[in-house]
Amino acid sequence: MKTKGLKRDKVNVITLGCSKNLVDSEVMLTQLKGNGIEATHEAMQDRANIIIINTCGFIDNAKQESIDTILRYADAKANGQIDKLYVTGCLSQRYRDDLEKEIPEVDAFFGTMELPLLLKKFKASYKHELLGERITTTARHYAYLKISEGCDRPCSFCAIPLMRGKHVSKPIETLVQEARSLAKNGTKELLLIAQDSTYYGLDLYKKRNLAELLKHLSDVEGIEWIRLHYAFPAGFPTDVLEVMAERPNICRYLDMPLQHGSTRMLQRMRRGITREKTEQLIAQIRDKIPGITLRTTLIAGHPGETEEDFAEMKTFVENMRFDRLGIFTYSHEEGTHAHTMPDDVPERIKQKRAQKIMKLQESISWEINEQKVGQTLKVLIDRKEGGYFVGRTEADSPEVDNEVMISARENYLRIGDFASITITEATEFDLFGVPA
Ligand code: SF4
C-alpha cells in the first residue's frame, strides 16, 4: 500500500536517549512546523508517512535500543506503511558509515549538528527567526533549557565528546529569550541541562559564567523553579551557590555526576578531582545551601576497578548520603581513553556492584523520605495516574527522581499548579500526602 501522493506528508519524530536529545527533537519539530510541515512527536496511533528517529549512542543498551527502533521502522517502510525514514542524533553521528551499509532502507543519516541538511529533504530551510522559540514535548508547566552543546572534558569512559564535539555555550541573551518564550507558553519550571553545565561561559565569556546566567534566568517572569543539572565537581564555580542562596526561584537542588568514590578510580577516569576534594566540595555546598538535595550518578566496573576501590565507593555512598543516586555499569566504548584499557571487570561483577549500591541507596533514600512525614511541602502537580495526582517537590526532577502521590478520590488538584501538600507516608522512592 503506497501512501505517496494520497495526502500531505506528515512527520513523526521519535526521540531516544537524554533530555539534551529531547531538546534537539523539539527544535527540529519547531523548524518543521515553522516551515509549514505537519509534524508530531512520538504520536502512537499516527498516520505519519515520514519518520525521523533522533538516536542515542551513549552506551551499549542505549545503542541497542536505537538500532532496534531503526530496524522496526525499516520493516514498516519495507511493508509500505511509511514512505521515508530518516535517522539523526548521536548513534548516527558516531556510526553513520556502518549504519548506511547495514540498514540501506534508511533514506538518509544525519549528524547531531545537521538539522539544516535534514530540513533540505523537505525542501525547507533553517529559520533563524525561530531561535528562542521552541515547541516543547514535556508537560506544559516544565521545560528543559539546554545551555550549551558538547564537552571539553577528557573523562576516560565517555564517548559524548566524540558525538557532540567541543563545548559551545549559548549566549545569555538567547537563553533569556528562550526562557521568556517558554514562560509565555506556560513553563513554570526550567531544567538547565548541558554535558557540563558548570563549564558554561568559559568559551564564550572566557570565564565560568553560570552564576550570571542563573541571575538573568531567575529574573524571567513566570519562572518559579530553576533546576540545575549536570554540574561537574572539578572547578565547581562556587559563586553559583551565592546566587542559589539569594534567589528563591532557584531550587535548592543540584545534580552533580561524581562517577566514583575512590581517588585511584577517579584518576583512572580522568575526572581531575580526588575523593577528599569531592567531600570538601559537598560539605561546602551543604553548608552554603542547608537542606539542598544532591543527586549524583556513579559507574560500577570501570577498567581496573578492584574490590578495594568498590569498597571505597560503598563507604563514600554511606558517608555522603546522597538524596538521589543512579548508577550505570561500565560500557566499553570504542574511541574512548578507557577503551585502550582491558575491560577486566566481568559483567556479572559490574551488575552485582551496581545492585549493591542501589540496595544501599534504597535504605538511605527511605530514611531521608521518612524525615519528610508530617512536613507540608510545595508540590508541582505533573499528572493524574491510577487514582492519584502525581507531583514533585523542589527536591525532585522529572523522570529521574521521587514523586508525591495524592489520592484523586478525595481531592481535586489542577495539573500544572503548585499545591501545599502535607506528607503522610514515605516509601523508599516516593511520598504520599494530602492537600494542607
Ligand atoms: S563531563 Fe565527562 S562524562 Fe560528562 S559529557 Fe563530558 S566527557 Fe562525558
Side-chain angles (χ1 to χ4, degrees):
M1 168 190 81
K2 273 288 166 233
T3 63
K4 197 81 194 114
L6 296 177
K7 58 179 174 42
R8 261 180 81 206
D9 281 339
K10 182 164 181 195
V11 181
N12 191 13
V13 177
I14 311 288
T15 304
L16 300 163
C18 67
S19 52
K20 285 150 272 187
N21 231 19
L22 185 66
V23 170
D24 291 352
S25 290
E26 292 174 346
V27 171
M28 197 192 300
L29 210 59
T30 309
Q31 288 289 333
L32 287 167
K33 291 194 170 188
N35 278 279
I37 296 155
E38 210 182 329
T40 55
H41 185 254
E42 299 191 346
M44 288 313 180
Q45 310 314 328
D46 192 75
R47 43 180 188 72
N49 65 319
I50 299 178
I51 301 293
I52 301 175
I53 305 172
N54 189 6
T55 59
C56 175
F58 184 38
I59 53 175
D60 282 349
N61 310 356
K63 291 192 281 188
Q64 195 52 53
E65 186 194 7
S66 291
I67 290 165
D68 294 346
T69 307
I70 298 171
L71 292 175
R72 194 164 71 242
Y73 284 102
D75 286 350
K77 187 175 171 219
N79 305 337
Q81 290 156 325
I82 61 171
D83 296 325
K84 293 278 184 200
L85 175 57
Y86 298 118
V87 173
T88 185
C90 291
L91 187 85
S92 182
Q93 174 77 32
R94 196 169 170 196
Y95 301 108
R96 188 191 319 227
D97 300 346
D98 305 339
L99 291 167
E100 274 170 351
K101 287 193 213 93
E102 285 154 26
I103 318 178
E105 295 87 349
V106 173
D107 293 277
F109 289 89
F110 300 90
T112 50
M113 311 295 175
E114 295 182 339
L115 178 53
L117 287 181
L118 195 159
L119 288 169
K120 276 212 178 88
K121 291 290 178 189
F122 299 87
K123 300 188 180 39
S125 59
Y126 187 89
K127 294 187 176 306
H128 291 279
E129 64 273 25
L130 291 175
L131 203 62
E133 302 290 322
R134 178 161 44 99
I135 297 165
T136 58
T137 59
T138 49
R140 193 157 169 273
H141 52 272
Y142 73 83
Y144 294 100
L145 186 70
K146 184 154 73 165
I147 66 173
S148 61
E149 184 57 273
C151 188
D152 290 2
R153 300 276 182 184
C155 305
S156 63
F157 50 84
C158 185
I160 292 173
L162 304 173
M163 302 177 280
R164 293 278 164 176
K166 284 292 184 194
H167 183 104
V168 180
S169 302
K170 276 191 188 173
I172 290 181
E173 304 71 39
T174 307
L175 290 166
V176 167
Q177 188 191 344
E178 210 171 322
R180 286 203 183 111
S181 140
L182 290 166
K184 221 172 48 225
N185 296 328
T187 297
K188 296 175 179 175
E189 177 185 11
L190 272 183
L191 300 128
L192 269 50
I193 58 174
Q195 306 303 350
D196 171 2
S197 57
T198 40
Y199 205 91
Y200 180 78
L202 269 176
D203 55 321
L204 192 55
Y205 305 109
K206 305 298 171 241
K207 62 178 178 155
R208 293 179 185 277
N209 217 13
L210 182 58
E212 191 59 27
L213 172 63
L214 283 170
K215 279 186 198 151
H216 281 83
L217 293 175
S218 162
D219 291 338
V220 173
E221 206 178 320
I223 298 296
E224 298 191 38
W225 274 355
I226 296 173
R227 197 179 290 282
L228 188 53
H229 278 262
Y230 302 104
F232 196 92
F236 183 91
T238 51
D239 56 353
V240 162
L241 303 175
E242 311 288 335
V243 181
M244 204 181 257
E246 73 191 33
R247 302 286 181 122
N249 65 346
I250 299 179
C251 295
R252 293 167 306 149
Y253 177 96
L254 183 67
D255 164 49
M256 184 163 64
L258 294 168
Q259 311 303 3
H260 215 289
S262 139
T263 293
R264 199 182 77 85
M265 287 313 295
L266 288 169
Q267 280 157 355
R268 279 180 81 77
M269 289 174 155
R270 306 202 304 185
R271 295 287 291 177
I273 194 166
T274 62
R275 157 104 171 232
E276 290 65 38
K277 283 263 180 279
T278 305
E279 291 183 341
Q280 283 164 13
L281 174 62
I282 291 170
Q284 185 183 7
I285 293 170
R286 285 176 167 160
D287 177 56
K288 189 74 196 165
I289 314 289
I292 190 168
T293 295
L294 286 180
R295 152 171 272 282
T296 198
T297 313
L298 303 173
I299 294 178
H302 183 278
E305 186 185 74
T306 62
E307 276 305 331
E308 291 71 35
D309 293 317
F310 178 64
E312 283 204 54
M313 182 194 274
K314 256 177 110 250
T315 54
F316 179 63
V317 171
E318 274 157 6
N319 298 348
M320 291 299 107
R321 293 180 63 77
F322 295 102
D323 305 272
R324 315 274 180 261
L325 182 148
I327 187 162
F328 290 98
T329 52
Y330 171 76
S331 177
H332 209 41
E333 295 300 319
E334 68 272 5
T336 64
H337 173 66
H339 199 261
T340 63
M341 309 170 192
D343 184 9
D344 55 1
V345 181
E347 189 54 36
R348 65 177 174 72
I349 300 291
K350 289 176 186 170
Q351 297 294 345
K352 219 165 107 227
R353 289 176 181 170
Q355 281 153 14
K356 278 189 183 158
I357 293 290
M358 280 324 290
K359 200 89 203 102
L360 172 58
Q361 182 59 25
E362 209 176 280
S363 58
I364 291 171
S365 180
W366 200 335
E367 286 159 22
I368 292 171
N369 277 353
E370 284 285 343
Q371 287 156 12
K372 294 185 178 166
V373 174
Q375 292 182 18
T376 296
L377 302 173
K378 181 180 179 180
V379 172
L380 180 54
I381 307 301
D382 283 329
R383 65 187 188 282
K384 190 174 175 201
E385 189 185 297
Y388 286 95
F389 288 103
V390 181
R392 290 171 293 111
T393 70
E394 182 187 7
D396 303 301
S397 192
E399 319 274 337
V400 291
D401 289 333
N402 297 10
E403 291 183 318
V404 182
M405 322 293 276
I406 305 110
S407 167
R409 257 185 293 285
E410 302 93 30
N411 307 296
Y412 174 73
L413 296 164
R414 230 162 38 146
I415 291 166
D417 274 8
F418 287 97
S420 288
I421 303 294
T422 302
I423 305 304
T424 53
E425 192 194 336
T427 67
E428 63 274 33
F429 294 126
D430 287 323
L431 299 171
F432 290 79
V434 293

